[in-house]
């Protein structure tokens, strides 16, 4: 019997560069990432399905009335990053 190697995708690979503030485009629209949910329980609740490990809350910027909604689709070669996610500046505590 030939052994089979199964490679499970990593969450980071599935999400891709979709951090808060990122804008990406695909055949479905152009989306601004408002939030990234990595708590599996919250992600499953937002997506309405069990087994979700993460969810991304986005808004379609091509629709003037675009309302935020959650997606759980993995990042693919058909997704195109337009603007990278915002980086959070470090917070320094007062030395007083």
């Amino acid at each position: 019997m030939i052994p089979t190697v199964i490679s499970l995708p990593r969450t980071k690979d599935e999400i891709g560069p979709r951090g808060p503030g990122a804008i990406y485009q695909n055949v479905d629209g152009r989306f601004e990432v408002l939030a990234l949910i990595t708590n599996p329980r919250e992600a499953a609740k937002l997506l309405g399905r069990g087994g979700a490990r993460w969810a991304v809350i986005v808004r379609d910027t091509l629709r003037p009335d675009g309302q935020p909604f959650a997606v759980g689709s993995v990042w693919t070669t058909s997704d195109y990053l337009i603007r990278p996610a915002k980086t959070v500046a470090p917070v320094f505590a007062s030395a007083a």
Side-chain angles (χ1 to χ4, degrees):
M1 179 182 231
I2 299 174
T4 304
V5 176
I6 299 174
S7 176
L8 298 175
R10 293 182 4 183
T11 299
K12 186 176 179 179
D13 294 335
E14 292 178 346
I15 296 168
R18 292 178 288 184
I23 295 178
Y24 70 98
Q25 187 166 336
N26 59 31
V27 296
D28 296 322
R30 183 180 301 152
F31 305 99
E32 178 181 16
V33 177
L34 304 176
L36 172 60
I37 311 302
T38 56
N39 178 306
R41 184 171 291 160
E42 282 297 313
K45 193 164 118 180
L46 284 168
L47 296 172
R49 60 179 165 88
R53 293 187 310 259
W54 56 270
V56 180
I57 298 175
V58 298
R59 178 181 63 86
D60 191 340
T61 63
L62 296 178
R63 298 177 184 260
D65 62 341
Q67 297 297 311
F69 62 97
V71 296
S73 54
V74 300
W75 183 263
T76 69
T77 56
S78 66
D79 295 310
Y80 177 79
L81 185 65
I82 294 173
R83 180 179 78 192
K86 295 178 181 175
T87 56
V88 179
V91 177
F92 296 99
S94 170

